[in-house]
Amino acid sequence: MESQAYCVKVEGLTIRFGRNVAVENLDLLCSPGSWTAVIGPNGSGKSTLLKAILGLVDVDHGTIHISCTGAGIGYVPQAKTLDRRFPATVMELVSTGLRSRWPFLIPGEVKKQVEACLERVGLRGYSKHLLSDLSGGELQRVYLARSLIRKPALIILDEPATGLDRSGETDMYVLLDQLRKEQGATILMVTHDLDAAYHHATHVLIMNRTTIAAGTPACLNQENLKAAFGHSGHEHPVGLLGHG
């Protein structure tokens, strides 16, 4: 991999769970201020890759380097892993983005930061709501607000549009683009939304355990998608397949 400025650099990554190879000899380079969309079929190792970068799973081979942690890392997990039954308010959950322990007493300044983040994700006035009262899309936005409260240099998102309607998706992508352009945030996002990857990301990684293709969104072409997903391009958005 070429030597250049990076926020995240993954080289030769291999991860096994018993006899199952989840990720094999994979490379990834995210330059500062870039937006990288990770594309691949279910079970292709996308979420495992993110968890490895976050230090949540063990690595069998390869290296992971992160150089943009000055303002911390924001993480939005998959909606299906989020538990609304936990007896907490939106204010309490979002404030945990600033500290590792549970906030039994939240200072006024932190409350202001939480309210500002909630407003940015379209949840103004939700701070006292219980998590159990939220829809899936609302809970996803709460976790996005939690990831933003530190003003992180790196934002990692795993299927962030899950549970959002089309308007909510658009608002989220616009917000992420603002964070990238105004604050220089680097975004690494797993998604099944090829249209969002093409129109919003600056770089794309197509994978199925290993790297199928990497580069600009122009690599979202029929040949690469068929290599990753194992079927013809007509099952993907026609507008994308004419590019590259």
Side-chain angles (χ1 to χ4, degrees):
M1 188 173 292
E2 295 182 4
S3 177
Q4 64 184 84
Y6 65 87
C7 180
V8 178
K9 181 166 67 172
V10 177
E11 295 182 296
L13 183 67
T14 296
I15 300 172
R16 297 186 180 91
F17 298 113
R19 295 183 177 181
N20 178 47
V21 180
V23 178
E24 185 173 19
N25 195 30
L26 184 136
D27 295 336
L28 170 68
L29 182 70
C30 301
S31 57
S34 64
W35 181 336
T36 301
V38 181
I39 303 288
N42 291 333
S44 61
K46 303 184 302 296
S47 295
T48 300
L49 169 63
L50 297 191
K51 290 176 181 177
I53 292 171
L54 290 163
L56 300 178
V57 297
D58 293 331
V59 171
D60 289 279
H61 297 288
T63 59
I64 299 173
H65 300 283
I66 300 175
S67 67
C68 56
T69 57
I73 299 174
Y75 174 49
V76 181
Q78 283 189 18
K80 66 183 180 182
T81 67
L82 309 180
D83 191 351
R84 277 174 284 179
R85 297 172 298 175
F86 189 71
T89 65
V90 169
M91 172 68 71
E92 290 170 332
L93 181 61
V94 175
S95 68
T96 62
L98 288 173
R99 56 187 68 192
S100 57
R101 56 189 177 85
W102 191 254
F104 293 101
L105 181 63
I106 304 174
E109 183 57 37
V110 173
K111 290 182 179 179
K112 291 180 181 179
Q113 290 177 263
V114 171
E115 295 286 3
C117 287
L118 289 174
E119 186 164 359
R120 291 208 76 174
V121 300
L123 291 179
R124 183 178 183 180
Y126 274 69
S127 61
K128 295 182 180 179
H129 284 51
L130 292 172
L131 301 184
S132 57
D133 294 334
L134 303 178
S135 68
E138 288 169 344
L139 186 60
Q140 192 78 344
R141 293 188 190 202
V142 168
Y143 270 85
L144 179 57
R146 180 181 181 273
S147 76
L148 300 181
I149 197 166
R150 281 182 180 268
K151 297 182 179 179
L154 172 62
I155 304 173
I156 296 177
L157 309 102
D158 197 349
E159 296 287 357
T162 301
L164 300 179
D165 58 21
R166 180 56 64 180
S167 175
E169 288 181 22
T170 299
D171 290 344
M172 181 192 65
Y173 292 135
V174 168
L175 172 59
L176 291 174
D177 210 33
Q178 288 175 345
L179 292 168
R180 186 177 69 83
K181 293 176 179 177
E182 296 172 7
Q183 300 179 17
T186 301
I187 298 170
L188 177 59
M189 176 183 76
V190 163
T191 182
H192 281 99
D193 189 339
L194 301 183
D195 189 62
Y198 186 83
H199 291 288
H200 295 283
T202 60
H203 297 79
V204 170
L205 169 67
I206 303 174
M207 65 177 290
N208 193 342
R209 293 194 305 173
T210 192
T211 303
I212 301 297
T216 69
C219 71
L220 286 167
N221 56 47
Q222 183 166 338
E223 179 182 358
N224 290 332
L225 293 173
K226 185 175 181 179
F229 289 86
H231 48 64
S232 61
H234 71 270
E235 299 187 34
H236 300 283
V238 175
L240 289 178
L241 298 174
H243 299 277

